[in-house]
Amino acid sequence: MKALVLGGGSLKGSWQAGAIQAVLDTGFKPDMVYGISAGALNAAFIVNEAGREYQNDGIIDWQLVNKKLISFWIDNITEPNDIGVLKSRFQLGIDTILSRFDGLLDTNPLHERLRAQITPKLLRSSPIKLKVGSVNINTGEMHYAGPLDDHFMDYLRASSSIPVIMPVIQIGGDHRNAHLDGGLREVVPLKQAILDGATEIYAIATHPEIDQKTAINYRNFFTLIDRIKDISVSQFENNDIEWAERYNESILSVGGISLNRKVDLKVIRPTEKLEINLTSFTTEEIKEMIRRGYEHAYTELKK
C-alpha cells in the first residue's frame, strides 16, 4: 500500500501543499492519505477531490487534485480572519469566569470554507482512503478517524484545533468525547500508516530536524503560544520520524503485532524554520510558502 503522510504545522500547511505537488510530479499515486492538524485538512481535501474526479471520470488526475488544493490555500486563506476571529476581551472574561472558555478564536470562518469544499459523501466514496488524528482531552488517548466513522467532520475539525487558541470540539456534541489537535501526541502519523500495512510512504513534515534558536517577544501572548507549540511539535515530529526509521533498521513488534516488512520511506521536511504568523499573514506569504515547499521538495526528490 502506498501512503502519503502529512504532518501538522498550522499555516505551514501551505508549504506542505507545495511539497505535495512535487511528490505527485514524481508519479506517486497514494492509496491512502494520513494527516494531523493542517496535514489533516490537506489530506481531507486531497481525498475529497480524488473522490470527485473518480465519480466524474472513473480516473484520478492527481495534478488537477493538487492544483485545486493549492487554489484553496491561495483563494481562501488570505488573511487571519479567514482562519478565525479573535473574541472580545469582554467575551473571553465572561467565558473564563463562568467556566465556559472555548478558545481565543472563533474558527467558524475556516470551517465554513471547509464545509463548502469537503463533502462527507465524496470522502466515503473516494477510492483513496483517509485517516486523521486527534486527541481525546478527557482520556489523553490518540484517535484516528476515517470518513466511515460517525461524526467524521467533527474529528477533522478537532484534528486542526490548536489548544487554547482554538475551541475544543465535542464529537457529536458529547462532552465526554471532546477532542483537540492530534499534535498533542503525534505530529507525523507514520506509525499508524505502517501499522495499517503501508509499504511505500512519502511523509511531508513542516518543521526542521534542528529547531533554530531565535529570540521572540515572549510577552506577546500569541507569539509565546506559537513558540511553545513549535518547541513541542518539533520534538514530537523528530520522535515520529525516528520511530519509522528505527522500524526499518530492525523487525519490531508493535501492540503485540509482529511487523517484519521493510518500508520504502521518504521524508521531506524543511531545513530551516518556516516563519509565518497566524495573526498577521498575507496572501503573498501563503503563495511564497507554497513556492518554497515545492522548490525544496523538488530538490530533495531529485537527489
Side-chain angles (χ1 to χ4, degrees):
M1 181 183 76
K2 296 181 179 180
L4 179 62
V5 175
L6 305 176
S10 187
L11 290 175
K12 301 176 185 70
S14 55
W15 185 94
Q16 187 177 77
I20 292 168
Q21 181 179 346
V23 168
L24 296 177
D25 280 351
T26 69
F28 181 73
K29 298 177 181 179
D31 302 303
M32 192 150 188
V33 187
Y34 295 78
I36 285 176
S37 192
L41 301 183
N42 281 339
F45 193 96
I46 287 170
V47 172
N48 186 83
E49 290 305 313
R52 192 189 311 277
E53 289 265 308
Y54 192 79
Q55 182 183 68
N56 292 338
D57 304 317
I59 58 173
I60 300 171
D61 182 340
W62 285 103
Q63 294 301 321
L64 180 58
V65 167
N66 198 67
K67 181 179 179 180
K68 290 182 178 179
L69 173 64
I70 289 174
S71 294
F72 174 80
W73 276 97
I74 293 174
D75 297 339
N76 291 276
I77 312 300
T78 63
E79 61 178 0
N81 282 350
D82 292 337
I83 300 293
V85 178
L86 181 62
K87 297 175 183 176
S88 70
R89 292 181 181 179
F90 175 78
Q91 185 65 55
L92 288 170
I94 293 296
D95 288 346
T96 301
I97 291 170
L98 297 179
S99 297
R100 62 186 191 195
F101 177 77
D102 199 26
L104 298 173
L105 296 179
D106 174 358
T107 54
N108 280 321
L110 172 62
H111 295 289
E112 286 173 4
R113 286 171 168 78
L114 291 173
R115 282 193 291 269
Q117 299 286 338
I118 297 174
T119 306
K121 183 178 179 181
L122 279 177
L123 291 177
R124 289 192 294 268
S125 63
S126 177
I128 311 304
K129 304 305 179 184
L130 169 68
K131 279 189 179 180
V132 301
S134 61
V135 171
N136 184 319
I137 62 165
N138 290 311
T139 66
E141 294 176 319
M142 189 77 192
H143 179 79
Y144 282 95
L148 295 179
D149 292 328
D150 291 338
H151 312 296
F152 173 75
M153 294 302 289
D154 287 346
Y155 285 112
L156 177 60
R157 185 176 179 183
S159 182
S160 59
S161 198
I162 301 170
V164 181
I165 293 178
M166 297 178 179
V168 174
I169 306 301
Q170 296 181 5
I171 308 300
D174 184 355
H175 68 90
R176 296 164 300 180
N177 197 18
H179 287 235
L180 273 174
D181 193 331
L184 286 168
R185 291 287 303 269
E186 298 176 19
V187 178
V188 187
L190 284 161
K191 182 184 292 187
Q192 188 63 47
I194 291 172
L195 288 173
D196 286 345
T199 54
E200 183 179 355
I201 299 175
Y202 278 83
I204 305 178
T206 62
H207 297 79
E209 181 178 2
I210 299 174
D211 190 20
Q212 291 90 349
K213 299 177 176 64
T214 56
I216 67 164
N217 178 9
Y218 54 82
R219 294 189 182 278
N220 179 291
F221 181 81
F222 282 101
T223 301
L224 178 60
I225 289 293
D226 196 49
R227 179 57 178 156
I228 292 171
K229 177 175 66 67
D230 269 354
I231 291 171
S232 59
V233 165
S234 293
Q235 186 57 55
F236 288 157
E237 191 171 273
N238 286 343
N239 293 344
D240 295 336
I241 293 169
E242 287 169 8
W243 184 95
E245 290 173 343
R246 286 198 306 271
Y247 163 79
N248 256 351
E249 293 171 1
S250 61
I251 296 174
L252 299 180
S253 177
V254 180
I257 303 172
S258 179
L259 305 173
N260 56 8
R261 65 184 183 281
K262 293 291 184 180
V263 175
D264 184 2
L265 173 64
K266 177 64 178 179
V267 177
I268 297 168
R269 64 193 309 192
T271 54
E272 58 185 27
K273 185 178 179 181
L274 303 175
E275 299 284 0
I276 185 165
N277 194 316
L278 184 65
T279 61
S280 62
F281 69 91
T282 65
T283 301
E284 292 307 311
E285 288 180 288
I286 293 293
K287 290 179 180 178
E288 177 64 10
M289 277 286 160
I290 293 170
R291 183 193 66 79
R292 289 172 59 189
Y294 177 80
E295 289 188 354
H296 177 78
Y298 181 84
T299 301
E300 287 295 304
L301 292 169
K302 284 294 183 181
K303 288 181 179 178

